DNA sequence: ACTCTGATGCGCT
DNA sequence: GCGCATCAGAGTG
């Protein structure tokens, strides 16, 4: 039942319609599965200044203009990957950013991915293990937990159980529990309430307003 | 709990 | 060159 793959038609609608319906759905990549608790919609060219597709098609955002139900993976801040699910028919350029979720399968693998051995001092420090709820709390953390990398840009999530990624039906969230508000960290269209999350869920990321950086000097 | 900052690659103007 | 759809760690209350 909840293990069925979402039909591609599900994504063949505007992102702000798709986004709230994605809450409670499950994205699986091999042994790790994440139940989505927070998402953001991004509109097609011209309509949404915060969207990567606002100024039209480029090599980077090309997948967003492809068929729905595929992963658009981008690299940002010189160190993070984030993932969207493409919406609307081919040629439109719209999607839903996957902002946070609950790891429901493969938590140990996810924890290994999220742990960084780079800081040698941290290994000798007592520190507690990373809390379960933080494994995929935030778009870049979610990407790490699921092992999403640059090469997965364009991966089809609706094609079948033999494919690397699947978006599963899961248990859609009661609409009464869905909350909506402004998107996180965007520098424009901050008044557009296209962020959707599950009320009271601890895996939802803390809201951060965009703050412009001033460089030294 | 909160606020501030540095790290870091690259797409776009 | 500027500005990111960010995060972790340090500092403070």
């Amino acid at each position: 039942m909840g293990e069925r793959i979402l039909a591609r038609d599900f994504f063949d609608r505007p992102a702000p319609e798709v986004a709230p319906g994605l809450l409670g759905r499950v994205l699986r990549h091999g042994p790790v599965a994440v139940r989505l608790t927070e998402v953001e919609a991004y509109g097609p060219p011209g309509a949404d200044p915060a969207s990567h597709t606002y100024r039209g098609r480029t090599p980077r955002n090309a997948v967003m203009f492809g068929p729905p139900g595929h992963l658009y993976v981008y690299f940002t801040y010189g160190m993070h990957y984030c993932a969207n699910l493409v919406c609307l028919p081919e040629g439109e350029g719209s999607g839903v950013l996957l902002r946070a979720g609950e790891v429901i399968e493969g938590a140990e693998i996810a924890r290994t991915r999220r742990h960084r051995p780079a800081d040698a001092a941290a290994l000798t420090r007592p520190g507690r293990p990373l809390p379960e709820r933080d494994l995929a709390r935030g778009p870049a953390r979610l990407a790490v937990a699921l092992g999403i990398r640059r090469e997965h840009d364009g991966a089809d999530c609706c094609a079948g159980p033999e494919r690397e990624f699947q978006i599963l039906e899961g248990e859609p969230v009661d609409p009464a529990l869905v909350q909506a508000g402004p998107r996180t960290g965007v520098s424009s269209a901050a008044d557009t309430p296209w962020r959707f999350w599950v009320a009271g869920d601890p895996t939802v990321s803390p809201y951060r307003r965009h703050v412009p950086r001033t460089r030294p000097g």
Side-chain angles (χ1 to χ4, degrees):
Chain A
M1 194 72 102
E3 291 295 289
R4 279 204 302 257
I5 295 172
L6 276 181
R8 195 175 307 284
D9 299 5
F10 182 88
F11 297 97
D12 210 342
R13 297 176 284 155
E17 288 181 26
V18 173
L22 273 176
L23 299 175
R25 313 298 192 167
V26 173
L27 181 60
R28 174 187 291 156
H29 180 209
V32 178
V34 168
R35 171 184 169 267
L36 300 175
T37 59
E38 183 189 357
V39 296
E40 278 177 4
Y42 286 88
D48 179 11
S51 176
H52 283 182
T53 62
Y54 183 57
R55 294 175 178 83
R57 182 177 183 143
T58 68
R60 177 215 205 185
N61 65 25
V63 166
M64 282 270 264
F65 290 84
H70 291 239
L71 275 186
Y72 162 53
V73 180
Y74 69 93
F75 182 67
T76 192
Y77 289 103
M79 59 195 104
H80 298 303
Y81 292 97
C82 298
N84 290 242
L85 282 164
V86 175
C87 296
L88 292 176
E90 187 160 5
E92 294 289 330
S94 180
V96 175
L97 171 69
L98 309 180
R99 282 202 57 89
E102 173 193 4
V103 177
I104 60 173
E105 284 174 37
E108 282 316 304
I109 295 172
R111 199 188 306 276
T112 302
R113 288 171 174 161
R114 290 269 286 115
H115 177 255
R116 37 192 103 182
D119 183 0
L123 293 175
T124 64
R125 231 175 279 140
R128 298 171 183 77
L130 194 54
E132 195 95 353
R133 74 155 194 203
D134 287 342
L135 288 177
R137 193 183 190 215
R141 293 160 162 188
L142 181 146
V144 169
L146 276 170
I148 292 175
R149 303 180 297 280
R150 186 182 301 249
E151 70 211 71
H152 299 128
D153 188 34
D156 192 347
C157 298
C158 297
E162 74 283 359
R163 298 304 218 67
E164 192 170 9
F165 288 89
Q166 297 122 34
I167 181 73
L168 305 171
E169 285 184 354
E171 291 268 352
V173 165
D174 181 346
L177 288 178
V178 175
Q179 298 204 287
R183 291 172 292 186
T184 303
V186 305
S187 55
S188 57
D191 48 327
T192 307
W194 283 359
R195 172 181 177 243
F196 303 91
W197 67 95
V198 181
D201 192 297
T203 64
V204 172
S205 71
Y207 177 70
R208 298 255 180 269
R209 191 145 130 214
H210 175 78
V211 281
R213 291 272 162 192
T214 54
R215 94 178 154 74

